[in-house]
Amino acid sequence: MKENNYIDIHDITDDLRIGLFYILKCYGLGFSECSWGEWRFIQIKDGEDGPPLHFAEIIEREINMEEYSKLYSDFMNGKLPSVTKREVRSRGEKTDLGYGWLSPTGDFIESPFGSHEESAEGICERNGWCEEFFNWRDKKEGDLCLFRDFLAEVKGYCLIHNPAGVGGYLVTQVKPLTKQQREFLYGYFMDKGDRYMAEQYWNDQIA
């Protein structure tokens, strides 16, 4: 924070969570969880809706001594803020799903890293879409078109993947997500304890 106005999500430990809780309370601050591609980070803000702040701007603020005294008393009595990970939402479904294809009706087909084209071809074969795929490809006039392109552009599938292969999950689609896809993605990310990603699809549902 001394050199920037964000904290990388990978740097956040339980001790840091506790420290951030105290700082937010004592200085009357808010925070937001943000993303840029696969990069996730936390920004400390002026209140809930204000601009992001740097370290120097934070320490210039006055401490709320009433809040500080209460928190200090709690701390001395062994009462710490909860930093347990978000609970996995129980849906009676497998909660360790990896990458894969998600159909417009909300059916998920797992597809490990590096196998998405092979899986896309398998989906087309099982659904009897191969002839339709070849006809569609022929109309593209020489463009390199794969089964995965057909699933996304024609059949409305979305892909949960990570091209960089360094952890995390991306959702890629061409057509707008269906209600069933948004509901699945909300549950998918909630089951992984990733409320930030889950809420992107919840907000879509209530928009």
Side-chain angles (χ1 to χ4, degrees):
M1 287 289 292
K2 288 188 176 181
E3 298 177 356
N4 49 54
N5 65 348
Y6 65 85
I7 304 171
D8 192 298
I9 200 74
H10 297 295
D11 294 333
I12 295 181
T13 63
D14 284 351
D15 287 342
L16 183 55
R17 289 178 192 274
I18 293 173
L20 285 172
F21 175 83
Y22 290 144
I23 289 172
L24 296 180
K25 286 291 189 179
C26 290
Y27 285 97
L29 302 170
F31 78 97
S32 61
E33 187 172 346
C34 310
S35 64
W36 181 266
E38 298 177 49
W39 179 41
R40 300 270 292 279
F41 55 94
I42 297 290
Q43 288 191 311
I44 307 302
K45 300 164 57 177
D46 183 8
E48 292 298 324
D49 302 312
L53 300 175
H54 287 78
F55 174 78
E57 296 173 305
I58 294 173
I59 62 174
E60 287 177 357
R61 300 168 71 100
E62 291 188 9
I63 294 178
N64 182 330
M65 294 306 299
E66 181 179 349
E67 190 68 44
Y68 171 82
S69 296
K70 178 180 180 301
L71 293 172
Y72 180 77
S73 176
D74 288 344
F75 178 82
M76 295 304 292
N77 286 290
K79 184 179 178 182
L80 297 177
S82 174
V83 294
T84 56
K85 294 182 179 180
R86 299 182 180 105
E87 293 183 359
V88 173
R89 195 166 64 97
S90 175
R91 297 183 299 149
E93 299 178 10
K94 186 177 179 182
T95 60
D96 61 347
L97 296 175
Y99 305 129
W101 289 99
L102 180 61
S103 78
T105 57
D107 295 321
F108 181 73
I109 301 93
E110 285 197 75
S111 175
F113 181 82
S115 69
H116 304 322
E117 176 63 13
E118 179 184 352
S119 299
E121 183 176 358
I123 292 170
C124 288
E125 289 176 348
R126 289 191 296 275
N127 286 279
W129 294 337
C130 288
E131 184 177 353
E132 184 181 354
F133 162 73
F134 291 122
N135 291 335
W136 171 79
R137 187 186 65 178
D138 291 343
K139 293 178 182 177
K140 302 296 264 188
E141 298 180 351
D143 291 345
L144 178 61
C145 298
L146 304 175
F147 282 99
R148 60 189 297 161
D149 302 319
F150 175 77
L151 281 187
E153 295 181 24
V154 179
K155 296 302 182 180
Y157 278 65
C158 68
L159 178 63
I160 305 173
H161 65 140
N162 180 5
V166 291
Y169 296 81
L170 295 175
V171 178
T172 300
Q173 86 270 3
V174 176
K175 292 188 172 185
L177 296 173
T178 65
K179 180 176 184 293
Q180 293 92 331
Q181 285 173 321
R182 294 195 302 270
E183 288 176 346
F184 178 92
L185 291 168
Y186 175 79
Y188 177 94
F189 287 110
M190 283 295 287
D191 284 348
K192 290 184 178 298
D194 193 340
R195 182 177 293 276
Y196 174 78
M197 282 292 289
E199 287 179 347
Q200 311 308 306
Y201 302 102
W202 173 255
N203 290 337
D204 281 348
Q205 292 183 61
I206 62 177

